[in-house]
C-alpha cells in the first residue's frame, strides 16, 4: 500500500470531467478552482458557465485524486463521471503548449459547448438529451444490431445508425466499425458545423434509432438534444456515456472501435491493444495516424496526417475538405492586408470547441484579460468609387481597436471605374454644351484607381488614364439604383474565398454592404463556395435584385448606420433600416449612431462591435 502511495506521488495523470448543472454563484466557483488547482499544481483548462463546468487538467495522480475529492464534496457535482488516467508527463513542448498543458487556464464562457454555428440563437436544452447507454449496453446494442434495447428503446423494425459527433481530423484515426450498422461521419472541421449537418441530413435520421458517440460524452449531450428537439421521428436518440474513453476502458481490445481515440491533451491519442492503423498519410496514403508533428492545412489550419517522409518533402498541405472546395497549394493571395495574419488555429479541446462560445462579460472581472486563441478573419468590401487602400485608411481606427480579436482583409471590387470629375459649379449657368471650359481636372497620376461592386446599365467596363467629364453634378444616391455587374462580382468573391479563404465573416460599407447582404441572401446556393459565420453591414441598403426571392436571411448580422440626426447624405437611415428587416430578428444586432456616413469607433459603439465579434471567437 505504501508503494502505491509513493507511485501516486510521482506518477503523472490526466483528469477529464464535465457536469451540466445550474451554478448559483460563478464567483465562488471560480475562486474554488483557482485556489484548488493552483495549490495542487494542476495545469490545463477549466471552463465555467452558468450551466456547468468542463475540465481537462493534468498533474500528479495524488493531486488529481485530491482534486476529485474536493469537487465531489460539493453537492452540485453529484453523479459526475471523473475520467482519470495515468500517463507520461508532457515531453513534446509544442504539443503541450498547443493543448494548454503548460499553464492553468480558468475561463468563464457563455456555454460549455457551443453547438450552433449561429451564436445569437439559443442552444438546445441539455435536459432533452438522448438516453445514456453504458459502454457495455452500447456494445451489446451493436453486437445484436439494436434488438436488446429495453422498452424505452427502438423496436426491431427501426433502422439503427451510428452517428459520430466528432471532427474529421478525429475520425481519420479512429471510429466505430460495426457489421450491418451504418456509421454516419459528418466530416466537419469543428463541432459548431454539426448543427448544419444535422439540418441538411435530417431525413437520414428521421425514424431511425440513432446511437451517438464522441470523445468523452459532452458533445453528444447537446447534439442529441438538438436531434430530439426536431419532434416526431427523432425520439430514439441514445448516447455513449463517458464516450470512447469509457468504452476503451471496458473493452481494452477495442471492441467495435477501430484505431485510436483522439484526445485534447498532450497524449494526442489513446489506442487499444489492437495495433492496426486506420489513418493514412494525406500525401502518399501510407498507413499513418500520428498527429504529434501538428501538421496543418495551409488554408483552414485543420490538423492533417503527414508521415515523416512526406514532411521532409513539403511544408504546404491541403486537407480533404479544402481539396473538395478546389483550393490549390500553389495559389498566391491577391488581397491587401495591413499585416498578414499568422494562421494559428488551435485544435478543438473537448472542453471548448473551436467556435463562438467565449463570453467576455464586463460584469465578470475574472476573465483576467485572456486573449482569444485565434483572431477572426474578416473580408472587407469597400463602397462605390473607392478601393481597398482608401477603405483600409478609412477603417484604420477600427482595425487598431479590433487588433486583438480580428484581422481585417481588404480586396478591390472587380469593376474598375473611369476617372470622372464634376462640372465647375463656379458658373451657375454652366451646361454640358457650354464653351466655358471647366476647372482643370487633377492629373491621373495623382489619383488611385476606383472600383465598384455594382454599376449602371450604361457602364461599358472600360477605364483608362484619361479624365472624363460627368454629364452633370453628382447625385449622392445614384448608385443605390445600380444592380448591373452583380454576377461578375459574385463570381469574383467566389474566387477570393477559394484562393484566400476561409473567412469568418464579411464587413461591407455602403455599396459593399449591399453586395455582402445579397451574398447572405443566397447562402444556401453558395454553400461550399462562400461560407461565413456572420456579416457586418455599415450604411447598407437592399439591392432589390429582381431574380432574387426575398425571404428572411438566416445569418448573424450586425447593422451599423447613422440615425435620422446623423444626416447620412449617401444612404438614408430608412434604407439601412429596410435592410435590417431582411435578416432574422433573432440573430441580428443594430447600432444606430449620429455621425453620418462613417463607421464610428468611439464608445459605446466600439464596445457594441466588440461584443458582437466576441461571440464568434475561439475558446
Amino acid at each position: 500500500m505504501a508503494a502505491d502511495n509513493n507511485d501516486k506521488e510521482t506518477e503523472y495523470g490526466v483528469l477529464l470531467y464535465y457536469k451540466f448543472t445550474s451554478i448559483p454563484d460563478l464567483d465562488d466557483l471560480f475562486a474554488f478552482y483557482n485556489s484548488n488547482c493552483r495549490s495542487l499544481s494542476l495545469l490545463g483548462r477549466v471552463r465555467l458557465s452558468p450551466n456547468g463546468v468542463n475540465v481537462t487538467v493534468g498533474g500528479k495522480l495524488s493531486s488529481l485524486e485530491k482534486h476529485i475529492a474536493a469537487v465531489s464534496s460539493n453537492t452540485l457535482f453529484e453523479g459526475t463521471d471523473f475520467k482519470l488516467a495515468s500517463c507520461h508527463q508532457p515531453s513534446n513542448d509544442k504539443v503541450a503548449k498547443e493543448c494548454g498543458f503548460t499553464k492553468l487556464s480558468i475561463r468563464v464562457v457563455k456555454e460549455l459547448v457551443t453547438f450552433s454555428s449561429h451564436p445569437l440563437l439559443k442552444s438546445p436544452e441539455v435536459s432533452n438529451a438522448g438516453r445514456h447507454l453504458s459502454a457495455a449496453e452500447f456494445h451489446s446494442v451493436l453486437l445484436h444490431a439494436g434488438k436488446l434495447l429495453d422498452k424505452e428503446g427502438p423496436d426491431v423494425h427501426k433502422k439503427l445508425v451510428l452517428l459520430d459527433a466528432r471532427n474529421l481530423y478525429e475520425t481519420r484515426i479512429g471510429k466505430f466499425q460495426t457489421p450491418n450498422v451504418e456509421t454516419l461521419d459528418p466530416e466537419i472541421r469543428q463541432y459548431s458545423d454539426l448543427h448544419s449537418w444535422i439540418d441538411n441530413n435530417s431525413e437520414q435520421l428521421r425514424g431511425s434509432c440513432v446511437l451517438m458517440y464522441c470523445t468523452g460524452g459532452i458533445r453528444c449531450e447537446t447534439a442529441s438534444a438538438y436531434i430530439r428537439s426536431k419532434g416526431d421521428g427523432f425520439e430514439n436518440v441514445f448516447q455513449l456515456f463517458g464516450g470512447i474513453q469509457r468504452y476503451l476502458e471496458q473493452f481494452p481490445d477495442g471492441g467495435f472501435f477501430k484505431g485510436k481515440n483522439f484526445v485534447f491533451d498532450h497524449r494526442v491519442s489513446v489506442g487499444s491493444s489492437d495495433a492496426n492503423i486506420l489513418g493514412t498519410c494525406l500525401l502518399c496514403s501510407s498507413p499513418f495516424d500520428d498527429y504529434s508533428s501538428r501538421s496543418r492545412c495551409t488554408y483552414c489550419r485543420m490538423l492533417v496526417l503527414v508521415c515523416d517522409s512526406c514532411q521532409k518533402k513539403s511544408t504546404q498541405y491541403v486537407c480533404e475538405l479544402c481539396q473538395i472546395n478546389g483550393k490549390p497549394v500553389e495559389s498566391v493571395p491577391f488581397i491587401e492586408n495591413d499585416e498578414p495574419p499568422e494562421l494559428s488555429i488551435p485544435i478543438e479541446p473537448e472542453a471548448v470547441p473551436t467556435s463562438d462560445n467565449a463570453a467576455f462579460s464586463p460584469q465578470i472581472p475574472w476573465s483576467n484579460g485572456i486573449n482569444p486563441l485565434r483572431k477572426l478573419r474578416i473580408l472587407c468590401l469597400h463602397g462605390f468609387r473607392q478601393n481597398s487602400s482608401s477603405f483600409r485608411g478609412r477603417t484604420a481606427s477600427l482595425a487598431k481597436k479590433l487588433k486583438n480579436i480580428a484581422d481585417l482583409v481588404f480586396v478591390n471590387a472587380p469593376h474598375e471605374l473611369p476617372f470622372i470629375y464634376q462640372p465647375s459649379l463656379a458658373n451657375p449657368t454652366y451646361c454640358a454644351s457650354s464653351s466655358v471650359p471647366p476647372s482643370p481636372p487633377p492629373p491621373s497620376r495623382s489619383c488611385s484607381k476606383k472600383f465598384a461592386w455594382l454599376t449602371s446599365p450604361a457602364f461599358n467596363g472600360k477605364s483608362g488614364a484619361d479624365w472624363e467629364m460627368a454629364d452633370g453634378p453628382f447625385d449622392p444616391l445614384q448608385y443605390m439604383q445600380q444592380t448591373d455587374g452583380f454576377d461578375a462580382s459574385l463570381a469574383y468573391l467566389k474566387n477570393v474565398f477559394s484562393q484566400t479563404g476561409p473567412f469568418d465573416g464579411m464587413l461591407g460599407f455602403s455599396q459593399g454592404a449591399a453586395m455582402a447582404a445579397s451574398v447572405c441572401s443566397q447562402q444556401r446556393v453558395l454553400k461550399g463556395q462562400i461560407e461565413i459565420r456572420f456579416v457586418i453591414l455599415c450604411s447598407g441598403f437592399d439591392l432589390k435584385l429582381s431574380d432574387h426571392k426575398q425571404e428572411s436571411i438566416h445569418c448573424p448580422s450586425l447593422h451599423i448606420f447613422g440615425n435620422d440626426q446623423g444626416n447620412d447624405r449617401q444612404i438614408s437611415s430608412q434604407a439601412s433600416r429596410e435592410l435590417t428587416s431582411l435578416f432574422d430578428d433573432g440573430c441580428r444586432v443594430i447600432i444606430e449612431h449620429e455621425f453620418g456616413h462613417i463607421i464610428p469607433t468611439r464608445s459605446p459603439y466600439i464596445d457594441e462591435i466588440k461584443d458582437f465579434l466576441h461571440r464568434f471567437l475561439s475558446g
Side-chain angles (χ1 to χ4, degrees):
M1 182 65 69
D4 290 341
N5 289 334
N6 289 335
D7 288 341
K8 291 179 180 179
E9 288 296 329
T10 58
E11 192 173 357
Y12 190 86
V14 172
L15 172 65
L16 299 86
Y17 64 92
Y18 69 89
K19 178 68 175 181
F20 284 101
T21 184
S22 179
I23 305 298
D25 194 326
L26 278 170
D27 293 277
D28 283 350
L29 192 61
F30 182 93
F32 162 76
Y33 273 102
N34 189 49
S35 173
N36 179 270
C37 292
R38 295 190 187 283
S39 67
L40 296 173
S41 299
L42 302 183
L43 303 178
R45 302 177 300 273
V46 177
R47 299 297 181 254
L48 313 175
S49 84
N51 62 335
V53 304
N54 202 337
V55 179
T56 303
V57 290
K60 294 179 180 179
L61 281 179
S62 59
S63 296
L64 294 171
E65 289 182 348
K66 291 176 183 177
H67 176 75
I68 293 173
V71 172
S72 299
S73 66
N74 189 327
T75 56
L76 288 174
F77 296 93
E78 183 178 353
T80 300
D81 179 27
F82 296 98
K83 307 177 188 72
L84 178 61
S86 61
C87 63
H88 59 79
Q89 293 194 43
S91 56
N92 186 321
D93 291 340
K94 179 180 179 181
V95 174
K97 183 177 181 179
E98 186 172 311
C99 294
F101 268 66
T102 57
K103 62 182 179 180
L104 176 65
S105 170
I106 306 176
R107 291 187 58 195
V108 173
V109 295
K110 184 178 179 181
E111 300 171 291
L112 294 181
V113 181
T114 300
F115 176 63
S116 173
S117 59
H118 301 299
L120 301 182
L121 301 180
K122 188 177 180 180
S123 293
E125 292 291 338
V126 177
S127 59
N128 191 39
R131 178 185 146 202
H132 289 144
L133 296 179
S134 68
E137 290 174 319
F138 194 85
H139 183 84
S140 180
V141 171
L142 296 179
L143 183 65
H144 297 88
K147 296 181 181 180
L148 292 187
L149 283 179
D150 61 23
K151 61 183 179 181
E152 297 181 41
D155 57 50
V156 295
H157 302 294
K158 286 189 172 66
K159 178 184 177 183
L160 180 68
V161 296
L162 271 168
L163 177 56
D164 197 320
R166 301 173 303 153
N167 304 323
L168 175 60
Y169 58 83
E170 299 172 74
T171 63
R172 280 197 198 106
I173 65 172
K175 63 177 65 178
F176 278 95
Q177 294 181 344
T178 309
N180 303 318
V181 179
E182 182 182 9
T183 298
L184 301 178
D185 182 355
E187 297 187 345
I188 52 178
R189 281 193 179 90
Q190 56 189 17
Y191 179 65
S192 59
D193 294 335
L194 186 58
H195 170 272
S196 297
W197 184 91
I198 292 174
D199 286 346
N200 295 332
N201 295 272
S202 58
E203 289 307 310
Q204 287 185 268
L205 306 176
R206 186 190 302 274
S208 299
C209 169
V210 181
L211 268 63
M212 301 187 67
Y213 67 91
C214 61
T215 307
I218 190 170
R219 284 179 280 186
C220 287
E221 300 282 5
T222 49
S224 65
Y226 181 72
I227 295 175
R228 285 171 54 85
S229 72
K230 288 184 171 292
D232 293 343
F234 298 94
E235 304 89 348
N236 291 289
V237 183
F238 303 82
Q239 54 180 311
L240 174 58
F241 181 70
I244 301 168
Q245 180 164 336
R246 285 295 188 216
Y247 183 87
L248 291 180
E249 291 174 3
Q250 183 77 22
F251 300 95
D253 64 349
F256 289 115
F257 186 83
K258 309 302 179 184
K260 293 180 179 178
N261 181 28
F262 185 99
V263 293
F264 298 96
D265 55 63
H266 67 279
R267 295 174 295 171
V268 182
S269 62
V270 177
S272 64
S273 58
D274 183 357
N276 288 330
I277 296 177
L278 190 67
T280 58
C281 172
L282 177 70
L283 301 184
C284 69
S285 300
S286 62
F288 190 72
D289 62 5
D290 185 3
Y291 279 116
S292 296
S293 67
R294 282 323 198 238
S295 298
R296 294 186 179 277
C297 174
T298 302
Y299 294 97
C300 71
R301 308 305 294 165
M302 185 172 70
L303 286 170
V304 292
L305 289 169
V306 183
C307 69
D308 296 338
S309 177
C310 288
Q311 287 180 40
K312 298 176 182 177
K313 301 176 183 177
S314 176
T315 58
Q316 285 192 312
Y317 318 115
V318 182
C319 72
E320 299 97 308
L321 298 182
C322 284
Q323 288 182 34
I324 292 173
N325 290 328
K327 290 184 171 64
V329 173
E330 64 274 11
S331 66
V332 178
F334 52 90
I335 57 178
E336 292 190 37
N337 199 347
D338 285 326
E339 190 173 295
E342 179 183 355
L343 297 177
S344 180
I345 302 176
I347 63 170
E348 174 186 14
E350 173 109 353
V352 190
T354 52
S355 180
D356 35 65
N357 60 313
F360 294 77
S361 178
Q363 67 268 22
I364 300 177
W366 16 264
S367 61
N368 296 326
I370 298 174
N371 289 328
L373 295 178
R374 179 180 76 89
K375 292 197 288 185
L376 301 169
R377 293 188 79 222
I378 303 176
L379 181 65
C380 300
L381 310 186
H382 60 70
F384 178 77
R385 197 166 286 283
Q386 295 180 1
N387 56 45
S388 60
S389 296
S390 64
F391 190 42
R392 182 172 55 190
R394 295 186 64 173
T395 56
S397 176
L398 178 68
K400 182 177 181 180
K401 294 185 178 182
L402 298 180
K403 66 179 181 179
N404 291 327
I405 60 176
D407 284 308
L408 304 186
V409 180
F410 300 84
V411 61
N412 285 325
H415 301 293
E416 184 179 343
L417 301 176
F419 293 125
I420 61 174
Y421 62 96
Q422 293 191 90
S424 173
L425 300 181
N427 183 355
T429 62
Y430 171 82
C431 66
S433 60
S434 173
S435 60
V436 179
S439 301
S444 60
R445 63 178 178 273
S446 66
C447 185
S448 300
K449 293 180 179 179
K450 308 295 183 181
F451 301 89
W453 298 99
L454 306 156
T455 61
S456 66
F459 180 68
N460 58 16
K462 296 180 180 180
S463 61
D466 296 330
W467 284 81
E468 300 176 9
M469 185 174 64
D471 293 335
F474 292 149
D475 175 6
L477 303 180
Q478 55 92 13
Y479 56 89
M480 285 185 60
Q481 286 75 48
Q482 297 182 354
T483 58
D484 282 31
F486 174 82
D487 291 339
S489 290
L490 183 61
Y492 175 77
L493 283 178
K494 289 179 183 179
N495 193 40
V496 171
F497 273 76
S498 173
Q499 298 295 316
T500 62
F503 296 100
D504 295 285
M506 280 198 293
L507 181 153
F509 180 74
S510 197
Q511 193 189 70
M515 183 68 200
S518 296
V519 170
C520 290
S521 71
Q522 301 187 59
Q523 54 187 342
R524 290 185 181 179
V525 178
L526 297 173
K527 186 174 179 61
Q529 302 177 81
I530 298 179
E531 294 190 9
I532 55 174
R533 300 163 59 205
F534 62 86
V535 66
I536 302 175
L537 305 175
C538 308
S539 298
F541 56 91
D542 179 23
L543 288 181
K544 295 182 173 60
L545 297 173
S546 59
D547 57 342
H548 289 183
K549 181 181 179 181
Q550 289 292 335
E551 57 183 24
S552 185
I553 302 174
H554 193 67
C555 177
S557 57
L558 173 62
H559 303 262
I560 306 172
F561 55 90
N563 57 26
D564 294 333
Q565 287 72 42
N567 192 26
D568 188 333
R569 291 179 294 177
Q570 278 71 41
I571 304 298
S572 69
S573 300
Q574 183 58 33
S576 293
R577 290 193 188 98
E578 289 176 0
L579 180 64
T580 67
S581 67
L582 301 181
F583 287 76
D584 279 355
D585 181 58
C587 59
R588 74 183 182 209
V589 175
I590 300 173
I591 299 177
E592 291 194 34
H593 57 83
E594 65 276 12
F595 302 110
H597 202 59
I598 68 167
I599 305 174
T601 57
R602 65 173 63 173
S603 292
Y605 307 114
I606 189 62
D607 303 312
E608 295 178 81
I609 295 172
K610 288 181 179 180
D611 181 65
F612 177 83
L613 293 176
H614 275 310
R615 306 175 194 223
F616 301 87
L617 287 170
S618 302

